[in-house]
Amino acid sequence: MTPLLDVENLRVTFSAGRENALPWSPQRVVKAVNGVSFTLRPGETLGIVGESGCGKSTLARALIQMVEAEGSVTFDGTTDLLSLSPKRMQPYRSQIQMIFQDPLASLNPRMTVGEIIAEPLKTHQPHLSAAEVKARVRAMMERVSLLPNQINRYPHEFSGGQCQRIGIARALIVEPKLLICDEPVSALDVSIQAQVVNLLKDIQQEMGLSMIFIAHDLSVVQHISDRVMVLYLGKVMEIANRAALYSAPRHPYTKALISAVPIPDPAIERAKKHMLLEGDLPSPLNPPSGCVFRTRCPIAQDACAQSAPALASAENDADHFTACHFPG
Amino acid sequence: MLTDTGKIEEMATRMAEQDVRGRSPWADARRRFLRNKAAMTALVVLVLVALFAAFGAQFTSFNNEDIDFMVIGQVAELGYPSLASGHYFGTDDLGRDLYARTVQGTQISLMVGILGAGVAVVVGTLYGAISGYVGGALDNFMMRIVDVLMAIPYMFVLIIMLTAFGRSISLLFIGIGLLSWLDMSRIVRGQTLSLKHKEFIEAARASGVSSAKIILRHIVPNLLGVVVVYATLLIPSMIMAESFISFLGLGVQEPDTSWGALISEGARTMKFGTLWQLAFPLFFFVVTIFAFYFVGDGLRDALDPKDR
């Protein structure tokens, strides 16, 4: 089966100006995403986790040309999205839609809900009549459990969870093949998170969508993903099927992340052995040599500073890739 | 059973089918503005001044050019304001009816203010929004043009233009229109820069909405609050600029007049005991400018409740 998305060696760099104002001082460059490769099969959900500043959101934006990137992003086995001009990219924009983190901020406060949801439809299918657009908006609102008679209301009249459903309706109205969710639930409280995640899951099955689900909450990712990718400082640390990653993580960073997930049972939680990472994320302006994780890694050795480990599959699981010299 | 369930259900379905009307941010602002007493009073005053300019001429038999030969030469004794003589505001130094002249001066002054603000709103908003949204080299280029135009001492240039090409109201309009949008474009650009990275703009970009549509549909409506407030504060400053030029004796041409020209004449003849020649135009000038400031203030409170 051809993958829906085949990402090869994706790199995003931002210029951070010169070290000082002298014209011959070196340019500083932030490598926000540094050589990420993965594939996404049709109908599959890929969870992307990592701490703040590891390049999750930048990666998502690079896929749809919202930031400039190098490498290749092959869509549907045929087209490299990164090589397309904005004009030729246009038809693909309706096939890849995005959901954003802050539900209220992602809706224009001066537009009614109906106008907001209809906007992608009007952009990509301008031949539709006003009545058809309205009918489809109403159907979509019903699908995401919003009352269709609220079509003339404004975003500030809705709760956070409802706003996120409006955002989902806007993304799905053009029937995309791929939905990129950039931390869609981190701004919501837990009970609403469950509603939104379950809605996404239902819709995905109904429409046969592929999803890229970005989050920093590992339990949410576990609930929704088929496969999970762990990012650290713009690099892939580990990518594996959900079950394998959560039950048998091989990378020390993934182990630390998973041990940090709180268990809602005080007895188990207290007895659990936490694996604390020391220090902070190193500055992406000046990443460590060799393996980027070595400065905080509990099992780092001299070899880790010499060369960066490549992603390699495990012996017993061909889908389980780890970038570590000493995977365990 | 006492209640008719069928009817209740019918009503319930009808209610569910009927579209709820949303309350837009504009409607909210309107409500807040209507509750602001000072601003509403000022708005009423402005409406009255506008009505005075539009229909004031109907209530007098004099016009702004004709000289009343009965009072000429004895303006201080006979030209005082009186209902009996029909000179409600008295006459000016030449015996022309001051009421008719004030009506006409109000027309010119309001027109200058509204035209200046209108140009600022249309040109300044679009210019600033394009510059801010597109960014990069174009932004630099467009803003440097504004800087250059701002660096020109425009009052000075306007005075030279008016002396070189002769006094004319159209030249004054052009001069004021050319310069009024500069500040507006800077303010709008600043606002656009902060709006540009909001997620709803990003969402529109991600789904392939064109830049022109993003500017017109997403950026401009969200800027309008600031623009409206600034425009109401710009009108009085335009009126004052015109008054200043007219006070200097440039600007409007006789027999037409404006508040500035009337105030200038009134100030010149103060010492002859004809204080009404200064008082009436000055009253309209001060009241209108105050009213514009109060309305502007009220609009700011209404459109930006967070900053109160």
Side-chain angles (χ1 to χ4, degrees), chain A residues 219-270:
Chain A
S219 23
V220 173
V221 171
Q222 182 176 22
H223 183 67
I224 197 165
S225 308
D226 300 313
R227 278 192 309 147
V228 181
M229 177 161 92
V230 180
L231 284 186
Y232 184 82
L233 221 63
K235 288 197 164 213
V236 180
M237 294 289 109
E238 187 159 10
I239 178 167
N241 289 325
R242 173 187 56 185
L245 189 107
Y246 279 87
S247 60
R250 299 183 72 223
H251 196 284
Y253 180 58
T254 316
K255 284 179 187 164
L257 283 182
I258 288 171
S259 88
V261 175
I263 299 168
D265 180 335
I268 303 177
E269 176 69 23
R270 237 173 266 132

Side-chain angles (χ1 to χ4, degrees), chain B residues 115-128 131 142-147 149-150 173-189 230 234 238:
Chain B
L115 182 105
V119 171
V121 167
V122 177
V123 179
T125 306
L126 287 179
Y127 193 91
S131 171
M142 287 173 86
M143 280 299 122
R144 290 303 79 77
I145 290 180
V146 170
D147 288 348
L149 286 176
M150 276 194 152
F173 277 162
I174 293 169
I176 284 181
L178 274 179
L179 293 151
S180 62
W181 59 274
L182 296 176
D183 279 319
M184 181 69 97
S185 69
R186 277 191 166 177
I187 291 172
V188 166
R189 171 180 174 268
Y230 186 68
L234 196 64
M238 290 293 121

Side-chain angles (χ1 to χ4, degrees), chain A residues 61 66 90 93 97 100 102 105-111 119 123-124 138 149 152-154 156-157 170, chain B residues 15-20 22-26 28 199-200 202-209 217-218 221-222:
Chain A
R61 279 160 179 71
M66 298 279 286
Q90 190 71 0
R93 294 210 180 269
Q97 287 282 319
F100 295 86
D102 185 336
S106 67
L107 308 174
N108 184 343
R110 307 268 175 206
M111 280 163 86
E119 187 167 53
T123 307
H124 292 286
R138 281 168 166 277
N149 67 355
N152 290 328
R153 288 199 172 236
Y154 288 84
H156 68 105
E157 298 174 286
R170 169 177 61 189
Chain B
M15 272 173 69
E17 274 164 14
Q18 209 163 44
D19 287 354
V20 181
R23 219 175 56 205
S24 73
W26 293 117
D28 272 350
E199 281 186 333
F200 68 86
E202 207 173 354
R205 268 195 329 129
S207 71
V209 181
R217 213 189 281 160
H218 294 280
N222 282 291

